[in-house]
Amino acid sequence: MFRATVLTLFPEMFPGPLGLSLAGDALARGLWSLEARDLRPHGLGKHRAVDDTPAGGGPGMVMRADVLAAALDVAAAPDDPRPRLLMSPRGRPFSQALAREWATGPGVLALCARFEGVDERVVAGRGLIEVSIGDYVLSGGEIAALAILDACVRLIPGVMGKLESGASESFEDGRLEYPHYTRPREWEGRSIPEVLLSGDHARIARWRRDEAERVTRERRPDLGGRG
Ligand code: SAH
């Protein structure tokens, strides 16, 4: 089973949106598990400090390696097979391919930082894999962890109704998805493309493939879609 452990100063942010809809139903059905662990008890001194001023000076605070390592060591045994992810704008870009890889594995451990980030030494010291959800800066890793878990959970076998509705989606084959339509047939003078009403499944499949290629070429030539 896919087990998620999140380390955070704000455990009350979990499951949050992952407690609803598809991910929430799957959580209730026991298809995955989520444990949000508070970093604060591992902090030092009367105030349970988890951060300190940056070596070399400068603004903000840095999360301490010793505090984070203590939290990690309690959360996961050394032989825990799950990847240990550090949410970080400097990390490897998260992708559908990574979501699929992790979704079919034993789960993930996600460390959410705050402030300026973490003491660099804990990354190597605990074998953390830095992961970014995009080229912008969030105020903390929690929303990144929620996004990553959401993308993984929907791919866990049995979570999505139709097995199919995963394979044809955006990014799965280096392409964006074709456009969707539903009733009514006419809306504000706009109609559904005739081909979709033709009942000709081969033609429909061809149209969808062509549309997926066109949209990918126009919007995301960097994806280098196949076909
Ligand atoms: N000073 C850092 C930003 C710190 S933001 C820098 O300039 O790189 C605080 C924390 O939010 C980060 O340590 C990370 O855990 C999380 N975070 C911010 N942006 C993120 C992103 N794009 N992807 C993943 N995590 C992010």
Side-chain angles (χ1 to χ4, degrees):
M1 189 184 62
F2 183 95
R3 290 190 307 124
T5 298
V6 180
L7 285 85
T8 168
L9 284 170
F10 301 98
E12 61 274 33
M13 287 177 75
F14 297 85
L18 298 179
L20 304 169
S21 192
L22 193 79
D25 293 343
L27 191 57
R29 282 160 61 207
L31 292 174
W32 68 293
S33 73
L34 174 62
E35 178 194 22
R37 301 182 67 99
D38 194 353
L39 289 169
R40 186 62 67 184
H42 299 282
L44 308 174
K46 194 171 68 163
H47 297 294
R48 296 273 166 248
V50 298
D51 56 345
D52 210 328
T53 53
M61 297 293 273
V62 176
M63 296 186 87
R64 293 177 59 120
D66 51 358
V67 169
L68 295 176
L72 284 160
D73 292 347
V74 175
D79 62 347
D80 193 312
R82 296 175 295 167
R84 298 154 177 246
L85 313 179
L86 169 63
M87 303 300 109
S88 162
R90 300 170 63 215
R92 174 170 175 191
F94 184 57
S95 64
Q96 189 67 11
L98 282 178
R100 196 162 278 286
E101 182 185 324
W102 292 334
T104 49
V108 298
L109 197 128
L111 175 57
C112 304
R114 284 264 154 183
F115 322 119
E116 292 307 320
V118 306
D119 185 311
E120 184 71 19
R121 293 171 292 180
V122 77
V123 176
R126 288 299 178 274
L128 304 182
I129 304 166
E130 293 184 72
V131 186
S132 166
I133 64 160
D135 293 344
Y136 40 79
V137 178
L138 303 167
S139 50
E142 290 77 11
I143 288 175
L146 288 168
I148 287 171
L149 290 176
D150 184 276
C152 290
V153 164
R154 61 195 293 284
L155 296 176
I156 294 171
V159 170
M160 266 191 294
K162 274 188 251 152
L163 226 102
E164 245 196 327
S165 98
S168 77
E169 279 181 328
S170 292
F171 310 113
E172 287 290 350
D173 55 2
R175 276 185 214 153
L176 301 176
E177 200 179 44
Y178 52 80
H180 297 290
Y181 297 87
T182 185
R183 280 182 278 273
R185 193 171 175 148
E186 283 279 326
W187 175 74
E188 295 190 350
R190 297 166 196 270
S191 14
I192 295 176
E194 177 277 328
V195 54
L196 297 179
L197 307 168
S198 68
D200 181 340
H201 297 300
R203 240 183 98 212
I204 292 170
R206 216 159 39 237
W207 180 86
R208 285 180 168 164
R209 190 201 57 211
D210 292 349
E211 281 295 294
E213 277 167 19
R214 180 183 61 76
V215 171
T216 307
R217 208 163 42 237
E218 285 174 11
R219 301 184 186 180
R220 295 293 303 276
D222 57 297
L223 289 178
R226 283 191 245 129

